[in-house]
Amino acid sequence: MIKIIETFSPEETFALGKCMGMEASPGEILCLDGDLGTGKTVFTKGFAEGLGVQDDVVSPTFTIIREYETGRLPLYHFDVYRIGDVDEMDELGYEDYFFGNGVTLIEWASLIQELIPETAIILTIEKDPEKGDDYRRITLKPSP
Ligand code: ADP
Ligand code: MG
């Protein structure tokens, strides 16, 4: 089933993330796709708040992964934008995260497509210049 949600401000995208974080279950994997600056990190910050994470969520662009343990469930936040090769994911021990009991969010997940489990949910954020700077169309669909 495909679900489309429109947001009109960063706060609304944050709120969507927060709702989904409140409902998240162990082992959930959410792939966040969309161009630079569409709101993947804004969504993740909301999601973390929904999980009850106490720490500030900062983009893991240079570290690839950041782990937050202060919420209802562990949150594993990946940003694979700078990954050179999928082998780097093996070196990070990604399987322990993807198949663990926490919740995994992956920014730029399409860059590591072959590693994404079938159970993942794909969330794509798109802009539409005709609808203004703050408009985002967010599509939720099962892994292909
Ligand atoms: P990404 O992680 O996808 O590169 P960020 O979340 O870091 O993007 O940044 C998104 C930027 O877009 C922020 O500056 C945010 O304020 C802005 N923005 C404007 N409208 C929205 C919206 N509807 N949803 C999310 N972010 C928005
Ligand atoms: Mg980001």
Side-chain angles (χ1 to χ4, degrees):
M1 200 189 69
I2 295 180
K3 200 167 162 182
I4 295 173
I5 298 144
E6 295 177 299
T7 69
F8 299 87
S9 67
E11 291 76 17
E12 279 186 53
T13 300
F14 183 96
L16 172 68
K18 187 171 172 179
C19 283
M20 290 180 67
M22 289 171 79
E23 290 173 2
S25 356
E28 197 169 298
I29 300 175
L30 215 62
C31 297
L32 308 179
D33 284 314
D35 292 340
L36 206 64
T38 47
K40 301 179 292 298
T41 300
V42 168
F43 174 89
T44 303
K45 286 176 192 245
F47 195 96
E49 188 167 297
L51 275 175
V53 171
Q54 303 293 315
D55 324 83
D56 265 349
V57 170
V58 278
S59 206
T61 306
F62 294 96
T63 54
I64 311 287
I65 161 95
R66 275 181 197 270
E67 250 179 281
Y68 300 92
E69 303 282 355
T70 54
R72 179 172 60 82
L73 297 168
L75 172 63
Y76 310 130
H77 181 201
F78 285 79
D79 183 336
V80 299
Y81 186 64
R82 282 171 199 279
I83 207 122
D85 195 279
V86 288
D87 290 348
E88 281 180 48
M89 289 294 286
D90 282 324
E91 286 156 28
L92 288 169
Y94 80 93
E95 287 178 310
D96 293 341
Y97 299 108
F98 286 18
F99 304 108
N101 289 318
V103 180
T104 302
L105 264 57
I106 314 162
E107 297 193 37
W108 295 100
S110 55
L111 297 176
I112 55 160
Q113 190 84 54
E114 61 253 64
L115 303 182
I116 304 300
E118 280 180 12
T119 52
I121 296 166
I122 319 295
L123 185 153
T124 308
I125 313 181
E126 293 161 297
K127 293 187 186 182
D128 183 342
E130 287 180 8
K131 297 192 175 171
D133 281 352
D134 291 351
Y135 171 86
R136 300 291 187 272
R137 185 172 53 247
I138 302 176
T139 308
L140 282 163
K141 58 176 192 288
S143 183

